[in-house]
Amino acid sequence: MSQLLEVKVPDIGDFGAIPVIEIHVKAGDAVAAEDSLITLESDKATMDVPAPAAGTVKEVRIGLGDKVSEGTVIMVLEADTALPASAPPAAQPVAQAPVVASVIASAEPSAPPAEDREDELGRFRPAEQEPILAPSPSHVPSPGQMAAEMMGGHKAHASPSVRAYARELGVEVGRLTGSGPKGRILREDVQRYVKGLVSGAASASPAPTAAGGLNLLPWPQVDFAKFGPVQSQPLSRIKKLSGANLARNWAMIPHVTQFDEADVTDLEAFRTQVNQESEKSGGAKLTMLAFLLKACVSALRKFPEFNASLDGDNLVLKQYFHLGFAADTPNGLVVPVIRDVDKKTVLELAAETATLAKKAREGKLAPAEMQGGCFSISSLGGIGGTAFTPIINAPEVAILGVSKSETRPRWNGREFEPRLMLPLSLSYDHRVVDGAAAARFTTYLGQLLADLRRSLL
Ligand code: COA
């Protein structure tokens, strides 16, 4: 015996007035129990409303773009069999919105939307979140999710029903290009992809079920309080932004770090002397960082592939020299950029880095002051350490790490003599730079720092 049922929007957690973004059925369509009827999308999640029973759609009471809340009648269904009185309501529990989102860097485009979570039927699980635009991201993907997103091709933006459909056909949604609003992957995109595969048109793409990503284990969920007292504190905005960028850069760029050292004995003696003189006259303080900036410009001129960015199959070689330097601030790492380093004196560079570092620490850097960099320097020399492996600041292709200089015995061919040695750690993108070029770069940089007159040559 059939029964007319009003299908209502179930308990969808804290969401209200959510737009209907997809309607999967029309009056007269036969549906099976659990088939997806419509898809809703809040600013945090996408979710499907499934059919409470098998039957025929008699009437659709909502349209695309309508806003619905829990209890809104979306359609009338003639169920094939009467539901028992004790049957569960159409509403099914909604999972908590995932605590992840994609973040856009201050200057760079966003990582794609976060992975959804869905049950086997792809129902009622918040599916994805829109990218949150800088400067105020409220969530950040976990490191595992971030790395998986980075390595797994572009991130799929699809409703649970489309994902379930794709899964049924053995298609990895991450391989698809969406033709829906905001690049959303539609059922038709899945069909088109499968048709393309069958006709051979998609032969250039990886096989639909081929594993493309890192296939990482989920991030460990640990109740730390079980092991001892803990305190949870939110990450700063800068940490969230830079963390997302660092994770992307670390996962997407094949890094190699070349270690070297420069004899800065004479340079440091010169710097100290100038500073002593200018202290008397109240002049600006010369810093090692300013000399490093200047020396790097000379090295970038000699090895232009370091002053470049990858653009698909092209290498964009820059004719300008804007250099970033990592600045440690109470809220996290930022990278102010000094424009036209080649056109400035070492003293001007020292003054400008000091001004920018101060602004960074006060949180007053404008976005434009962190954009357009060609190459970066991360100096930990004032703090300590012997070497480290800096992460490249994409889309740059190399970064120079500098550690603390120390006086060490150096063999000069006749005897050991004390020399002040500055450790250099150059991380480079191995897609662009070969190991031999990196060794030449640091060797040349070392020669320049040992005798800056070389930069005049
Ligand atoms: N070796 C030995 N001593 C060094 C040095 C080096 N490589 N570099 C700097 N110093 C000394 C300086 O001479 C200075 O001493 P002084 O006052 O006696 O002259 C002291 O260390 C402090 O220098 P600092 O304040 O760090 O100035 P700076 O110009 O060297 O660096 C910044 C400026 C902004 C780069 C620096 O303050 C900073 O934030 N560094 C951290 C960068 C970072 O976090 N990187 C990590 C990215 S993963």
Side-chain angles (χ1 to χ4, degrees):
M1 197 177 63
S2 65
Q3 181 190 24
L4 279 182
L5 290 176
E6 279 188 331
V7 183
K8 295 179 180 166
V9 174
D11 173 5
I12 46 175
D14 293 337
F15 305 110
I18 308 179
V20 176
I21 58 158
E22 284 174 41
I23 301 174
H24 307 293
V25 293
K26 57 184 183 316
D29 281 358
V31 294
E34 309 293 351
D35 273 1
S36 175
L37 301 175
I38 62 169
T39 303
L40 311 176
E41 183 179 63
S42 77
D43 57 348
K44 294 228 173 69
T46 308
M47 57 207 99
D48 280 3
V49 177
T56 305
V57 177
K58 299 306 285 180
E59 189 189 344
V60 177
R61 294 216 181 142
I62 38 93
L64 276 180
D66 283 1
K67 295 202 168 147
V68 297
S69 303
E70 181 184 345
T72 305
V73 177
I74 56 167
M75 54 189 74
V76 178
L77 181 75
E78 185 174 20
D80 291 343
T81 49
L83 289 181
S86 60
Q92 300 195 18
V94 182
Q96 289 298 306
V99 288
V100 296
S102 300
V103 177
I104 290 181
S106 53
E108 310 301 340
S110 85
E115 176 62 272
D116 67 2
R117 298 181 193 170
E118 54 193 277
D119 64 20
E120 275 312 293
L121 295 167
R123 290 169 300 132
F124 285 116
R125 302 297 301 261
E128 59 212 339
Q129 299 181 326
E130 291 304 316
I132 298 168
L133 291 176
S136 57
S138 56
H139 304 286
V140 96
S142 72
Q145 285 159 332
M146 173 64 75
E149 286 178 14
M150 292 315 136
M151 301 302 279
H154 76 276
K155 196 65 202 68
H157 189 37
S159 68
S161 58
V162 170
R163 285 172 183 277
Y165 180 58
R167 216 170 25 238
E168 213 173 281
L169 298 177
V171 173
E172 214 180 296
V173 285
R175 302 281 164 206
L176 303 181
T177 306
S179 61
K182 300 182 202 163
R184 172 178 299 287
I185 293 164
L186 306 176
R187 205 177 162 88
E188 297 81 70
D189 296 321
V190 182
Q191 290 165 342
R192 200 174 306 118
Y193 183 82
V194 173
K195 277 185 198 157
L197 276 183
V198 172
S199 69
S203 56
S205 307
T209 51
L214 282 178
N215 206 12
L216 297 172
L217 290 174
W219 194 255
Q221 298 294 315
V222 179
D223 177 8
F224 300 105
K226 267 196 340 201
F227 304 106
V230 293
Q231 193 193 17
S232 186
Q233 60 184 43
L235 288 175
S236 72
R237 192 182 133 252
I238 288 178
K239 277 231 160 80
K240 284 191 278 188
L241 280 171
S242 62
N245 279 286
L246 289 167
R248 177 196 60 200
N249 301 348
W250 185 84
M252 289 185 79
I253 302 173
H255 283 70
V256 179
T257 305
Q258 169 76 14
F259 300 107
D260 210 331
E261 52 185 6
D263 185 336
V264 292
T265 316
D266 297 341
L267 184 60
E268 184 59 15
F270 174 66
R271 191 183 79 88
T272 311
Q273 187 193 335
V274 173
N275 279 342
Q276 279 166 358
E277 287 165 11
S278 70
E279 210 176 331
K280 287 180 200 144
S281 62
K285 186 180 160 190
L286 261 188
T287 60
M288 182 56 80
L289 181 61
F291 283 113
L292 284 164
L293 286 162
K294 209 67 192 166
C296 282
V297 166
S298 298
L300 292 171
R301 267 195 213 285
K302 191 169 168 78
F303 303 98
E305 75 263 39
F306 286 82
N307 193 25
S309 286
L310 269 179
D311 178 19
D313 287 339
N314 290 329
L315 191 60
V316 179
L317 295 157
K318 295 161 197 170
Q319 317 284 311
Y320 51 87
F321 300 91
H322 304 334
L323 270 60
F325 66 97
D328 183 32
T329 80
N331 290 321
L333 177 73
V334 292
V335 186
V337 173
I338 304 193
R339 305 213 165 253
D340 300 315
V341 174
D342 54 319
K343 297 182 183 137
K344 293 175 180 164
T345 66
V346 179
L347 271 173
E348 283 169 339
L349 293 172
E352 193 169 338
T353 48
T355 307
L356 287 172
K358 182 167 179 285
K359 273 177 104 172
R361 287 179 187 131
E362 290 167 354
K364 290 182 181 162
L365 277 181
E369 289 172 309
M370 293 181 278
Q371 290 170 0
C374 307
F375 178 89
S376 297
I377 299 179
S378 176
S379 172
L380 292 173
I383 303 167
T386 53
F388 63 110
T389 54
I391 295 177
I392 296 163
N393 190 15
E396 297 166 17
V397 297
I399 179 169
L400 179 72
V402 182
S403 300
K404 190 175 175 61
S405 55
E406 276 192 7
T407 302
R408 283 207 280 273
R410 297 286 289 182
W411 183 252
N412 65 12
R414 296 180 312 281
E415 58 185 353
F416 283 102
E417 61 173 325
R419 303 297 294 177
L420 186 66
M421 303 306 294
L422 178 73
L424 308 173
S425 310
L426 177 80
S427 292
Y428 58 92
D429 184 337
H430 210 346
R431 296 170 300 178
V432 176
V433 173
D434 293 334
R440 287 189 191 103
F441 186 95
T442 54
T443 301
Y444 182 63
L445 197 60
Q447 290 168 349
L448 288 172
L449 292 167
D451 186 352
L452 263 182
R453 287 173 303 182
R454 281 178 182 275
S455 60
L456 301 173
L457 298 176

